[in-house]
Amino acid sequence: MEGEGSSWVSTLYSHCVTKLGMSMAMYTAGWFIPFSPHPKERLFIYHKLCLQTMPFSESFYLPTNEELTVPEINVSTPTLKAGAIHFGKYCDEQCKEFMLCRKEENDPRKCLKEGKDVTACGIQFFQKVKQHCKDEFERYADCLEWNSPSMHVQYCRKTQAVLDKCMLEKLNIERPYMGYFSEIRVHKTDRPHPGPPLPRKEYVDDRPSLPPDYPIEDAKYGSAFFIFN
């Protein structure tokens, strides 16, 4: 019986990989299966979590690979950290246009062009940095990577100042002041407004419940709060 159940589990796991992808299927197996050693319980879990996962209908439009494939910003985490502030300033308009589209449209499929514009702007930014401030940028990125596990900038103020000077003199990008990106700013766009949002459907909560004055006794063995925290 154990062997038969295991073979079915393997079959359902392959369905999980097809439905959810390898990483999600491994997550499901790694977290839920150890708590259910019996084959029938495993079958039930896989059936609930994998076979019944159908978030999209057959008629739902998904962009093609050609629409989604763009040149990526292929740089390391310290590089992104070192260039984040100036990148945000250099591509400010493209980023705001993308975020406005995502907020108004509430559909990522309608904002593919805006997302591509942000990526293209990022590639252009790092190419210019490599051309004009390569040494200053690399010293700052190396300082972030090797002086703090979390890449805190307070250990690299000297190399940061050298990079800021190069950015201003050669690329005309001034380091934004504290709070610049959190300010409320008006963004003008040529993209047509999608119109008013769809009305939100209200659902009546008709679940049975206890009356407000229902007497509630203290837990016999104390609160279960500390078990889960």
Side-chain angles (χ1 to χ4, degrees):
M1 186 66 184
E2 177 68 22
E4 181 182 355
S6 299
S7 63
W8 275 100
V9 168
S10 300
T11 303
L12 289 176
Y13 182 79
S14 65
H15 282 284
C16 266
V17 174
T18 303
K19 295 287 186 182
L20 304 179
M22 177 62 74
S23 59
M24 190 62 191
M26 293 177 66
Y27 173 85
T28 304
W31 282 99
F32 291 98
I33 297 309
F35 298 100
S36 303
H38 196 276
K40 289 186 177 180
E41 294 180 2
R42 297 179 188 177
L43 293 176
F44 175 77
I45 292 174
Y46 273 125
H47 182 265
K48 287 295 183 182
L49 294 178
C50 302
L51 298 185
Q52 291 187 356
T53 303
M54 297 291 291
F56 304 114
S57 63
E58 187 175 357
S59 60
F60 189 85
Y61 169 72
L62 290 174
T64 62
N65 289 334
E66 289 74 16
E67 294 178 274
L68 298 176
T69 302
V70 296
E72 298 291 344
I73 305 177
N74 189 19
V75 297
S76 63
T77 300
T79 302
L80 286 174
K81 176 79 172 181
I85 298 297
H86 296 94
F87 163 71
K89 185 71 177 294
Y90 184 81
C91 301
D92 196 17
E93 293 299 315
Q94 292 85 345
C95 291
K96 288 190 293 187
E97 180 67 24
F98 173 71
M99 295 307 298
L100 180 64
C101 178
R102 290 288 286 110
K103 182 66 176 179
E104 289 185 343
E105 298 289 352
N106 197 27
D107 187 348
R109 298 172 299 175
K110 297 182 180 180
C111 302
L112 294 179
K113 176 186 177 300
E114 289 75 12
K116 292 179 181 179
D117 291 342
V118 174
T119 304
C121 181
I123 293 175
Q124 185 184 63
F125 166 76
F126 282 107
Q127 288 175 343
K128 288 188 175 182
V129 171
K130 183 178 181 180
Q131 181 180 358
H132 298 284
C133 299
K134 181 176 182 292
D135 295 336
E136 295 86 348
F137 187 87
E138 287 183 347
R139 281 194 291 268
Y140 181 48
D142 289 341
C143 180
L144 291 175
E145 182 176 10
W146 297 108
N147 283 276
S148 170
S150 301
M151 294 185 289
H152 291 303
V153 298
Q154 62 262 35
Y155 304 107
C156 305
R157 294 302 186 187
K158 292 183 179 180
T159 52
Q160 175 189 312
V162 175
L163 176 62
D164 291 345
K165 182 180 179 181
C166 181
M167 288 287 194
L168 181 59
E169 293 178 352
K170 297 184 179 180
L171 295 178
N172 196 28
I173 305 176
E174 184 178 4
R175 184 180 185 86
Y177 50 83
M178 182 71 69
Y180 172 82
F181 293 107
S182 60
E183 288 182 337
I184 298 177
R185 291 172 288 167
V186 178
H187 175 68
K188 295 183 179 180
T189 177
D190 297 329
R191 184 173 43 82
H193 194 277
L198 296 176
R200 183 176 180 179
K201 187 176 181 179
E202 298 292 338
Y203 294 92
V204 179
D205 188 1
D206 56 355
R207 296 173 298 176
S209 60
L210 296 174
D213 57 347
Y214 187 84
I216 300 178
E217 299 179 358
D218 294 335
K220 184 176 181 180
Y221 298 103
S223 173
F225 174 80
F226 298 100
I227 298 178
F228 302 101
N229 290 275

